[in-house]
Each structure stands twice: as C-alpha cells, then as structure tokens.
Amino acid sequence: MAASISSRALAQKQSIKVGVTAGPHAEVLAAVKKVAAERGLDITVIEFTDYVVPNQALAAGDLDANSFQHEPYLKNQIAKTGWKLVKVATTTASPQGIYSKKYKRIADLPAGATIAIQNDPSNGARSLQILDANGVIKLKDPSNTASTLADIAENPKRFRFVELDAAQLARALDDVDAASINNNYAIQAGLSPVTDPLIREPVEGPWVNIIATRIADKDKPWVKLLAESYRSEPVRQFVLDRFKGAYVPTW
C-alpha cells in the first residue's frame, strides 16, 4: 500500500516556488523541502533580504507561497495594497526581544535613552507591546497590534524612539541604546534570541509565523501538502534541535 501511494504521489508531482527571508526561515524551509519531496511536492526556495518583496512577488505571481511573516504584518500589507493574499497555515513562533550593547538590564537604560524599533506598522507595534508588557512604557491599548508611537500613553523615562527598516536594526545597535530586533535578523547578526535580549515577549500571542498564498490558490491540493509537510514531525524536530527556543514549533 505504501509503495502504491508513493508511486501515485510521484506521478502527480508538482513544483512550486516558496519565498522566505534569508536565515532561519530559509533553513526551516530547506527541511520542509525534504519532507515535501517525499510526498510528491518539489519546492524551489527563493530567498529575500527584506520583508516587503516576498509579498510583492507572491501577489505578482512570481511565487506560489511565502513563509516569513506573521499575520498582523500580512493584514497590514493587504490593507495598504489590496493584494489578494491569505494565511493558509501557522508555522513557528519566534519570541522577539529588545537588545543592547551598552546595558545589561532594561532597568539600566537611562532617562532619554534612544530605542530603535521597526518602521513598518505591525512590527513596530509588536516592539511597543514588548516594552508595554515589561513596564517600560504604557500603551493606550496594549492589545492593539497596530499601535504606533502616537499610542504611547506613558513614557516615564522619556525614551526617544527611532524607526528603522527591520533589516537595519541589528547594525544600528552600536548607535542606539537599545533596539528591538526580529529573530531572523538577530541570528544573522550573531545574537542569541534566547539569551541576549534584555526583555523578550512570550511565545503566546498574535505574532506566530504563517504560510501565505494567493486567495485563488488557497484550496489547491499542493497548499495542503505544503502545510502538512511544514507541520510534520521531522520539521518540528529540526526546529527544536537547530534553534533551541529561538524558534518554536506551534504544532
């Protein structure tokens, strides 16, 4: 029976292009690619260096799916562009942190210190939520995944915020007092998202990573196969062994 199923799968083998950001997401998708190949799905991995182009490429039809973002970011992009994209599966969680090369504790940041956060709305809001949850600032609505600097209700130490492209934040650490850095960029910069942050968000929350496709494709058989290959035991074990808590399987 197993042999006939395998033969049938191979006979119907499909090829797709999946976009990822370089680093951890690309590493995980390489593990997914191996599992998917055994199930009759050939994945070409396309790497990007920022958060904007993978959705542009997906909307334009240059990709069949992507795997690099959380749902609030996708929704924000759709609201601005009208792209017909949709979440089809959740993947890993990657608790984000606030880093500093100058201070060992968040409480050590002096009044007027400069904190760099992402300049895209969803990731910037995520950083503000981390600061709120740890008592650094207070937001008008801590649950709002679209909070901006204008939504800071209390800033007792008068911290100054600098908004930068997410890919630039690790390099900005020398020039600011602290920075909120997404895990993929932190790892690429040689930082440990588990041990190096001054503060870190919990695993639970709205910031779980996802697979996205075009709405027109969401019910196609290869989408289910891609999601099942990603959310498989071999990939789960790879994430646990490789990232040791920096990325966490959600299945």
Side-chain angles (χ1 to χ4, degrees):
M1 178 64 73
S4 63
I5 292 174
S6 176
S7 297
R8 186 163 62 249
L10 290 172
Q12 299 172 348
K13 189 167 184 176
Q14 291 182 282
S15 297
I16 62 170
K17 295 179 180 179
V18 182
V20 292
T21 44
H25 288 296
E27 289 188 51
V28 176
L29 195 60
V32 176
K33 178 183 174 78
K34 294 178 182 178
V35 175
E38 296 172 353
R39 302 180 180 191
L41 183 65
D42 179 57
I43 298 175
T44 298
V45 181
I46 310 295
E47 294 190 23
F48 298 88
T49 58
D50 65 28
Y51 287 161
V52 177
V53 181
N55 280 330
Q56 290 178 338
L58 180 58
D62 297 325
L63 300 174
D64 298 294
N66 64 40
S67 175
F68 75 100
Q69 64 193 323
H70 46 66
E71 191 170 18
Y73 181 82
L74 175 63
K75 287 182 175 180
N76 178 268
Q77 293 289 294
I78 291 170
K80 292 193 299 183
T81 63
W83 288 330
K84 304 300 182 182
L85 308 179
V86 65
K87 176 189 81 172
V88 294
T90 55
T91 57
T92 57
S94 53
Q96 188 172 295
I98 309 291
Y99 299 79
S100 177
K101 288 188 175 181
K102 301 176 182 177
Y103 303 98
K104 298 297 184 183
R105 300 182 306 153
I106 197 72
D108 295 337
L109 291 179
T114 300
I115 301 175
I117 66 172
Q118 298 84 345
N119 64 3
D120 66 89
S122 61
N123 281 302
R126 182 181 187 181
S127 297
L128 294 176
Q129 284 186 330
I130 298 170
L131 294 167
D132 176 274
N134 287 272
V136 180
I137 61 171
K138 286 189 178 180
L139 294 171
K140 296 173 184 176
D141 178 5
S143 66
N144 181 12
T145 57
S147 291
T148 68
L149 295 178
D151 295 306
I152 297 176
E154 296 182 26
N155 181 8
K157 296 183 76 170
R158 303 182 307 281
F159 291 131
R160 295 185 299 116
F161 291 93
V162 176
E163 296 177 290
L164 300 173
D165 184 84
Q168 305 300 318
L169 287 165
R171 290 194 286 273
L173 267 181
D174 289 328
D175 302 317
V176 298
D177 296 297
S180 182
I181 306 174
N182 296 77
N183 282 5
N184 58 315
Y185 293 128
I187 290 173
Q188 285 180 288
L191 298 167
S192 167
V194 178
T195 60
D196 288 340
L198 306 184
I199 52 177
R200 192 175 182 226
E201 69 186 357
V203 173
E204 301 79 14
W207 309 105
V208 174
N209 294 311
I210 63 170
I211 296 171
T213 67
R214 289 181 294 278
I215 292 175
D217 292 336
K218 68 182 181 67
D219 295 320
K220 291 184 177 178
W222 65 260
V223 174
K224 182 179 180 182
L225 190 53
L226 172 61
E228 289 177 346
S229 298
Y230 199 118
R231 297 172 60 85
S232 63
E233 183 56 30
V235 175
R236 178 181 180 277
Q237 199 58 53
F238 171 80
V239 172
L240 291 173
D241 293 343
R242 172 67 180 88
F243 298 108
K244 304 185 187 309
Y247 286 76
V248 182
T250 61
W251 66 96

